[in-house]
Each structure stands twice: as structure tokens, then as C-alpha cells.
Amino acid sequence: MMSDRWEPAAFKARVDEVLHHFVAQEAEQLWAIDEVLGPVAEQLEAAVRDGKRLRAAFCYWGWRAVGQPDSDALVRAAASMELVHAAAVVHDDLIDDSPLRHGRPTAHIALRGAVGRRPDDVDAARSLAMLVGDLLMSLAGQLFATSGLPAAYLARARPLWSLLALELIAGECLEILRTGADPDMASSLKVIRYKTAKYTVEQPLLIGGALAGAAERLRRGYSAYGLPLGEAFQLRDDLLGLFGDPERTGKDDADDVRGHRPTALLAETWRLAGDDEREQLRAVLGRHDLDAEGLDTVREVMRRLKTPDRIEAMISARVEEALDALHEVDAPAHAAAALTALAHSAAVRLS
């Protein structure tokens, strides 16, 4: 059990224990069906091995801010948010053909060894990874439903679960449809909002609040805090993706440029760029054979235009907006303190 003082490491340990035990049981069932499913079971467990557990934390404090006490059942329900994230990560890496996550091969890369040497090994491994992601999303619903919370509490949150899935998929689809198009800030921000911002902060808060019976005014406050903070989280991710240390991020720093993805960082660069600079960008964006020199060209253009500084300013403005909204929320002091600390954890980070 936790005290009213926010202890991130202790909370993460509780969520990790729930996730690792729950997923290990499901992995054992796969092994029991047939040993050939072993690599699939291993990727299921690998999907929950790492993480800051921010989404679970926002769900937890969405509950506590209503005035509800600490609860092991609530922690189990909150942990289901991390399975949603794990599913989204597996699918996102598959869609983007990303080779690394947390410094390890992504599921569709790791599963190539499971299919052996055959003409369709790459496609077969991708299919297996897709199914791992599907199973993780299914398990998220299962963990939530069997968390131990009263059925009436769970029923209050069920519509939000449906909305979470719809908006997350809408965001992924928007990113696919916008990839390769001329960069545009409005389009990029819409992708950010639906693909990441909502399911990272706003929806976990709202689900935690719904479980606790939050009043309408508090729910509005959660959205006013959660949406700008979720956007700040993804804007930071965009910056780290290109300018961060791959040793810390555990990702390939060329992913966004190679994929010509609709990031706000690229959209702002494009807006500020002159004809010559746009030609430089066109020469490298979307190139599958992108090398270090091409990547440095993009970074040099961005630095010259001070785009990273502008994105930093956007992050700061959104964090300030979120914290201003939090001050208007009538939440207990310990919940407000935790949500303030979480805002800085989400937006000011190195990985």
C-alpha cells in the first residue's frame, strides 16, 4: 500500500509486479498449447519488461484525486493501461518498420528466428508480431475486467475504453495517411493528439476518475490538464527521436526521417525553410538508404532554423497550460502534488 506521498519507484514496482505475473501466466498458456509458440510467448513477456508506467500512474491519480484511497485492485486496473501501450508499441514498430525499442530488436525483428529460413520469413515474422500486439490489447481488457474492482465501478469506465481504442487506432491511421505528405503543423498536431496524447494522459485520468465516480467538473479538469500534457509528451518524444542519445532512448534515431513521418518537428522546420532548405530536406526524407550524412543534413537545417528551440517552447507552453488547469481542479493536495510531479516527468526526460 502507498502513502499519500507520491513515490514513483514504489508505484512502478507495484505495476511491474502485476504486469509481469499476469503476462507470465498468459505466456505459459501459449507454451502449453505447443512449444513452437515459445518465441511468441517470449515476445509477449518482452513487451511489458520495460517502461516508466506513466499511463498507469495517471489512471491511479485519476482515482486518488476524487478522494478514493489506495487500492490494489485499482493498481491492477491501472496496469491494464500499460498493456494498451505495449500493444500500441508492437503495432507502431511494425507499421514503422522500426528495428529497435529499449535497445533490443522489436517484435517483428526478433520473431524472424522463429519462422526459420523460408522465402516469406520477413512477412511471417511481421504477421506474428501483429498477433502479439492484438493479444496484448485483448489482455488489457481482461486485466481491467478482472482487477477486483466492483462491477458497477467498471461499468462506469467501459464507454471510455471503447473510445480509447477508437481514438488510438484513428491516430495510427492518420499517421499512416499523412506519412510522406508535405509537412503541416495542424495535421501533425492532430496525429499527436489522437495517436499519443489522449491515451497517454487524458484517457487514463478519465478512466481512473470514472472508476472513482468523478464529477463532471473534475472530468473537465482532467481533459484540460491531460490533452496539452499528452501533446508535450509526444513533442518531447519527437525531439528525443532525432536529437536524443540512442543509448538512452533505445531507438534508431533515423526512424522519423527515414519514414518521412508527420512530426511537429519536421512540420515546423518545413514552415520556416526556404526553397534551398526544402530541397535539402526532399533529398533525404523518406530514403530507406538514409546514412549518417543525410541525417546530419536534416539536423543542421533544423538547428539553423532553430526548430528544436521552437519545439521546446511549444512543450513549455503546454506544460504551463496543463499545470494552470490543474490549479483549477479541486483535488486533494497530495493528488495535485503527484500530478504536478508527473507533468514534469512526462515532459522533461532524456528517454
Side-chain angles (χ1 to χ4, degrees):
M1 303 290 283
M2 288 183 63
S3 68
D4 284 346
R5 188 165 63 88
W6 175 227
E7 299 172 346
F11 179 78
K12 181 182 183 305
R14 289 174 74 186
V15 173
D16 283 347
E17 183 179 3
V18 169
L19 288 173
H20 297 163
H21 179 69
F22 178 73
V23 173
Q25 288 182 314
E26 300 301 320
E28 284 178 13
Q29 292 192 56
L30 283 175
W31 278 95
I33 291 169
D34 196 306
E35 288 188 0
V36 76
L37 293 173
V40 177
E42 289 170 2
Q43 286 308 303
L44 201 66
E45 293 189 88
V48 298
R49 192 170 294 147
D50 302 294
K52 301 175 183 66
R53 310 313 185 202
L54 285 174
R55 293 158 185 85
F58 284 119
C59 184
Y60 176 85
W61 285 106
W63 162 276
R64 293 295 308 272
V66 181
Q68 292 280 14
D70 181 73
S71 159
D72 287 338
L74 189 279
V75 170
R76 284 178 59 83
S80 69
M81 300 291 101
E82 299 299 330
L83 287 173
V84 172
H85 177 53
V89 163
V90 171
H91 285 149
D92 195 45
D93 288 341
L94 180 60
I95 291 165
D96 294 340
D97 202 22
S98 298
L100 291 173
R101 174 76 63 165
H102 298 299
R104 296 192 302 272
T106 48
H108 64 281
I109 300 296
L111 284 164
R112 288 182 188 175
V115 297
R117 294 184 178 180
R118 50 193 252 194
D120 66 340
D121 60 342
V122 172
D123 289 340
R126 292 175 66 84
S127 297
L128 288 174
M130 178 185 67
L131 294 169
V132 168
D134 291 348
L135 181 53
L136 285 163
M137 185 62 88
S138 173
L139 293 178
Q142 182 184 331
L143 179 58
F144 186 79
T146 61
S147 61
L149 289 171
Y153 288 26
L154 296 173
R156 290 195 295 247
R158 194 165 294 126
L160 292 170
W161 261 92
S162 299
L163 185 62
L164 180 155
L166 174 70
E167 291 184 337
L168 176 55
I169 290 170
E172 285 283 8
C173 291
L174 281 172
E175 183 177 60
I176 292 169
L177 293 168
R178 298 291 187 189
T179 290
D182 280 351
D184 172 74
M185 182 59 81
S187 297
S188 294
L189 289 176
K190 181 173 279 190
V191 170
I192 282 174
R193 174 163 288 203
Y194 285 95
K195 183 190 169 191
T196 304
K198 281 178 163 285
Y199 98 91
T200 297
V201 185
E202 183 201 26
Q203 287 162 332
L205 274 170
L206 289 172
I207 287 171
L211 290 169
E216 174 62 26
R217 182 171 180 273
L218 185 55
R219 295 198 301 270
R220 288 199 304 269
Y222 284 169
S223 290
Y225 163 90
L227 281 172
L229 182 57
E231 289 181 0
F233 176 89
Q234 184 56 46
L235 289 169
R236 173 65 62 202
D237 215 50
D238 289 349
L239 272 179
L240 289 171
L242 189 53
F243 291 95
D245 179 359
E247 291 293 322
R248 286 181 175 270
T249 66
K251 301 177 186 177
D252 185 341
D253 57 359
D255 268 2
D256 287 345
V257 177
R258 187 183 295 120
H260 195 172
R261 293 182 195 139
T263 65
L265 181 61
L266 179 57
E268 184 66 358
T269 301
W270 192 261
R271 184 183 71 81
L272 296 168
D275 290 343
D276 290 346
E277 289 156 332
R278 287 188 176 187
E279 281 304 311
Q280 285 183 284
L281 294 172
R282 284 194 185 97
V284 293
L285 288 173
R287 284 186 54 173
H288 293 291
D289 61 346
L290 180 70
D291 57 15
E293 184 179 351
L295 195 58
D296 284 342
T297 296
V298 175
R299 290 193 185 106
E300 287 167 12
V301 169
M302 289 180 171
R303 289 192 181 105
R304 189 161 62 245
L305 297 172
K306 301 188 183 305
T307 313
D309 295 338
R310 290 174 177 271
I311 299 299
E312 286 285 1
M314 290 173 67
I315 292 170
S316 296
R318 281 161 172 76
V319 172
E320 185 177 347
E321 181 183 348
L323 293 177
D324 285 347
L326 181 60
H327 295 151
E328 299 299 317
V329 171
D330 186 20
H334 62 277
L339 289 170
T340 298
L342 281 167
H344 292 294
S345 295
V348 183
R349 55 199 169 90
L350 297 176
S351 63

